[in-house]
Amino acid sequence: MKDNVILTGFMGTGKTSLGKLLATRLGRPFVDIDKKIEDEAHMSIPKIFEKFGEAHFRELEKAAVKELCEKRGLVIATGGGTIKDEENLLLLKNSGVMICLTTEPEEIFNRTARRGERPVLDGGGNERLETIKKLLAERKKFYDRADYQVDTTNWSPIQIIDDICKHLRQFS
Ligand code: S3P
């Protein structure tokens, strides 16, 4: 299968770590959109948010999506908010098979506990779990448009990768 495989989903669902494993399993190059943005900006994502604001980050994200969607054969991990932009969502979907990783909010809360790394959650203060639940509810309609969803809350990485590969075989 030459199409891209796109891993999307909320922060803390495992897009980057599972994307690397999946790419190794499939023998394909792996591209993480957040990392691509950081490498090209020579700056971390929290720093980009702090210096230039979220709107600028979203522009960089959009440019990265456009560039990557002209390619095929990649495993691409999106950022958690990449597909809330309709154009990004359509470009990514049309470039391959989109898999959405899901995780229970409490587990997302645990996995994203370190402050300073996820600027869209850091405004949440003590209400961080509520912020996660609110954003998940807002974004559900976008995540639901993926071709397939896998719940990563309780499964091991191997189980998740096996499950994704089983479903990818249906598209090949
Ligand atoms: C964001 C998620 C982050 C990163 C940025 C914005 C979001 O990616 O793109 O901080 O809006 O959900 P991860 O999901 O990889 O943490």
Side-chain angles (χ1 to χ4, degrees), residues 18-166:
L18 292 167
K20 283 181 190 161
L21 286 176
L22 182 64
T24 304
R25 173 81 75 90
L26 298 175
R28 291 168 174 235
F30 172 66
V31 185
D32 181 81
I33 293 183
D34 284 341
K35 177 145 193 327
K36 177 174 165 59
I37 293 169
E38 289 184 324
D39 287 350
E40 289 172 4
H42 305 291
M43 206 181 282
S44 70
I45 297 214
K47 201 83 206 154
I48 297 173
F49 268 70
E50 188 191 311
K51 277 193 89 166
F52 304 109
E54 179 170 356
H56 180 69
F57 169 74
R58 297 297 174 196
E59 280 172 26
L60 299 178
E61 188 176 49
K62 215 169 168 58
V65 168
K66 279 207 175 102
E67 187 187 322
L68 291 174
C69 288
E70 283 171 12
K71 305 183 183 188
R72 291 293 181 272
L74 303 174
V75 173
I76 301 171
T78 74
T82 309
I83 66 163
K84 69 190 176 86
D85 177 282
E86 181 70 21
E87 201 182 1
N88 287 348
L89 176 54
L90 289 177
L91 276 173
L92 286 162
K93 255 182 92 73
N94 291 336
S95 84
V97 180
M98 185 180 277
I99 314 279
C100 180
L101 304 176
T102 66
T103 305
E104 290 301 318
E106 289 73 14
E107 179 62 16
I108 291 177
F109 178 82
N110 292 335
R111 292 185 193 172
T112 59
R114 270 180 299 167
R115 284 183 66 84
E117 290 187 2
R118 288 350 198 260
V120 292
L121 294 182
D122 283 346
N126 293 333
E127 310 302 316
R128 195 172 172 127
L129 180 58
E130 289 313 309
T131 306
I132 291 169
K133 287 183 181 168
K134 184 175 141 278
L135 284 175
L136 274 172
E138 277 172 23
R139 294 177 178 184
K140 184 177 184 305
K141 60 179 179 292
F142 303 108
Y143 297 140
D144 281 352
R145 285 163 68 189
D147 299 296
Y148 182 61
Q149 301 212 357
V150 191
D151 189 337
T152 74
T153 311
N154 296 312
W155 276 5
S156 71
I158 299 295
Q159 284 175 309
I160 298 163
I161 298 300
D162 283 350
D163 188 67
I164 292 174
C165 287
K166 200 167 91 194

